[in-house]
Structure formats: C-alpha cells, structure tokens
Amino acid sequence: MNAPSSSPAPVDANDSLHDARAGVRREQWLLLLGSVRGATLPTLLIGALFALFYAQFAPAPRLLTWWLMLGAVLGLRHWVARPADDGVALRRGPTWLLHALLFATGLVWGLAPAAVLPGIDDTLLVTVVLLGAGMALAAFSAYSVSIAAVTAQALPLALANLTVLTLTRDPAHYALAAALALLYVHQGVVMVQARGVLERQIRLRVENALLAQQLSQQAEKTAAELERRMEVERSLRASRDRAERLSGIDALTDIANRRYFDNRLKQEV
C-alpha cells in the first residue's frame, strides 16, 4: 500500500514580482515619511535662527509672522506624516496632502526674502537667497526617495530665489541666478542617480526578505509533509503488526493456530 504524496504548490512568479514591487514601494514610502518627520525640528530651528539674525535689519513682527507660518506648516506636515497602524498609509489625510504641505514649506521659505525687504541691502539679500538655496538642496538629499516630494518642496523655493535675483537687475545677481539654476539641475541629476542606487538596494533587501519568507514556508511545508509520512509509516507498521498477530490466532476459538506454532517453534529452535 503506497501512501498518497503531495508536493507544495509552486510559487507564482507573477505573484512574487508583484509582492516585490509592493514591498519596494512600501519601503520607499516609509523612508519618505521618516525623512519628513525627521526634518521638522532642524528646519524649525533654522527658521528661528534666520528670524533672530535678520530681526536687526527688518521688522521683527514680520519675521515673527513668517516663522509662525513656517512652524504651522511644519507642525501640520509632521502630524500628517505619521504612518497608520499598518505602517504604510498616512494616519491623517490623503497622500496628496503631504505633497501639498511640502509645497507649502518651499513656498514659505521662498517668501523669506520678502520678509526682510526692504530693510536690508543687496549683500544681505544674497545671503537670504543662498539660505533658501541651501534649504532647496537639502530637500534634494532628504527626500531623494521620491521625485514628487523633492519637486513639491524645492520647485517653489528655487523659483522664488531665482525671481528675487532676477528682479534686482544686477549683472552679478544674474550670474548668481544662472549658477544656482545649474546647481539645481546638477543636484537633480545626482538625485536621480542616487535614487536609482537606493531603489536597487531596497529592491534587493525586499527580494531577500521575500526569498527568506518563501524558504521558511517551504521548510514548514516539507517538515509537515515529513511528519505526515512518518505518521503514515507508523500507522502501516502498526497495521502490519496487528495483521501478523491476527494471522496466528484462530478466529473461532481465539487460540493460537498451527502457523503461530510453527513460527514459535522456529524461534525456539
């Protein structure tokens, strides 16, 4: 009697590919949420230092208003970027709301020159623009996992800075605006390359995790199949022993028969 055998169901390649892509998107999204939350306090402190320094050149209430706007946007952004219980979806609001708040962050930083004008000269104005450019470049590195997030924050800031430099009508500022534009383009190219490397690393990590999970499931199935086969073998052995015992007993009198006598005699001899 042969025991029926069953093999584990093969893993569908399409399902594995879909799981890998979903895992990569999940890891990218979690990295973006972590970067958004991690940038809240440093950005708020930089804004406070900016307001304190330029308060000696521009009206303090205007700078305080600007900083409160920045704090409100950053606080709402941090609140929205908290992941839900599944660790992927946003706890508060849809996905577009996070990108809208990133855009608002860049817009507030883009308004920094307007907050200090006309109380400063062109030299100090350039420092404000360069500070804004630094914040835009920081977005390229902090949110490189998402091109949409980088664009949402860096684009309004970069456009505002370039507009301020252009409106000064100073040839030196034109050169600075061109240099910043080239720097933004260069940083964008670097970001795309870095994003590709990061995405490959995330994909390898996710694929390795999926492979380990599949191997673990396969091992569990193999162990279960082995245990089932051992149980069947024990059952067959017990049935065989019982059949041998019954073959040596007369069914009518329940007394050992001639076959039992011959086997016993052979053992004794």
Side-chain angles (χ1 to χ4, degrees):
M1 179 179 178
N2 295 327
S5 61
S6 61
S7 59
V11 179
D12 191 352
N14 293 330
D15 292 341
S16 299
L17 182 60
H18 180 269
D19 292 341
R21 290 176 177 175
V24 170
R25 289 193 297 267
R26 179 180 185 278
E27 291 294 328
Q28 290 176 332
W29 184 244
L30 288 177
L31 285 175
L32 176 61
L33 295 182
S35 298
V36 170
R37 295 194 306 274
T40 300
L41 184 59
T43 305
L44 188 62
L45 292 177
I46 292 174
L49 294 175
F50 164 78
L52 288 175
F53 176 77
Y54 286 96
Q56 56 185 323
F57 306 106
R62 189 191 306 168
L63 288 170
L64 179 61
T65 301
W66 175 87
W67 184 74
L68 291 176
M69 290 173 54
L70 179 64
V73 172
L74 291 175
L76 184 59
R77 189 180 83 175
H78 186 88
W79 182 67
V80 168
R82 293 175 59 195
D85 295 335
D86 59 357
V88 182
L90 291 175
R91 185 183 295 274
R92 311 290 184 184
T95 302
W96 64 264
L97 181 58
L98 179 62
H99 291 91
L101 291 172
L102 289 173
F103 181 85
T105 304
L107 189 61
V108 171
W109 274 109
L111 292 176
V116 297
L117 288 174
I120 59 175
D121 55 19
D122 290 346
T123 302
L124 289 177
L125 181 62
V126 170
T127 62
V128 178
V129 172
L130 292 179
L131 177 62
M135 297 304 300
L137 295 177
F140 279 94
S141 59
Y143 311 138
S144 59
V145 70
S146 172
I147 296 179
V150 173
T151 304
Q153 179 163 326
L155 182 61
L157 210 167
L159 291 178
N161 288 337
L162 296 178
T163 301
V164 169
L165 291 176
T166 304
L167 292 178
T168 58
R169 298 181 179 180
D170 187 339
H173 293 172
Y174 291 163
L176 180 59
L180 286 179
L182 292 176
L183 183 60
Y184 291 143
V185 173
H186 174 266
Q187 192 67 20
V189 174
V190 173
M191 180 200 67
V192 172
Q193 295 175 348
R195 183 177 181 273
V197 174
L198 179 61
E199 185 174 355
R200 285 193 293 271
Q201 292 177 348
I202 294 175
R203 184 183 299 110
L204 288 175
R205 185 167 66 246
V206 170
E207 289 177 351
N208 289 337
L210 288 175
L211 181 59
Q213 182 180 1
Q214 292 174 2
L215 291 176
S216 177
Q217 293 175 353
Q218 187 72 19
E220 292 177 357
K221 291 179 180 179
T222 303
E225 177 66 16
L226 181 60
E227 180 63 26
R228 189 190 65 82
R229 289 177 179 269
M230 291 176 64
E231 182 65 27
V232 171
E233 184 178 354
R234 287 192 293 267
S235 177
L236 291 175
R237 187 180 298 112
S239 298
R240 184 194 62 190
D241 294 342
R242 182 172 178 272
E244 289 181 354
R245 288 195 303 270
L246 292 177
S247 65
I249 299 176
D250 184 74
L252 180 60
T253 61
D254 200 22
I255 300 175
N257 55 20
R258 177 58 182 269
R259 180 175 181 176
Y260 178 83
F261 173 78
D262 292 341
N263 289 336
R264 186 66 178 177
L265 178 61
K266 183 178 179 180
Q267 293 176 5
E268 293 297 334
V269 170

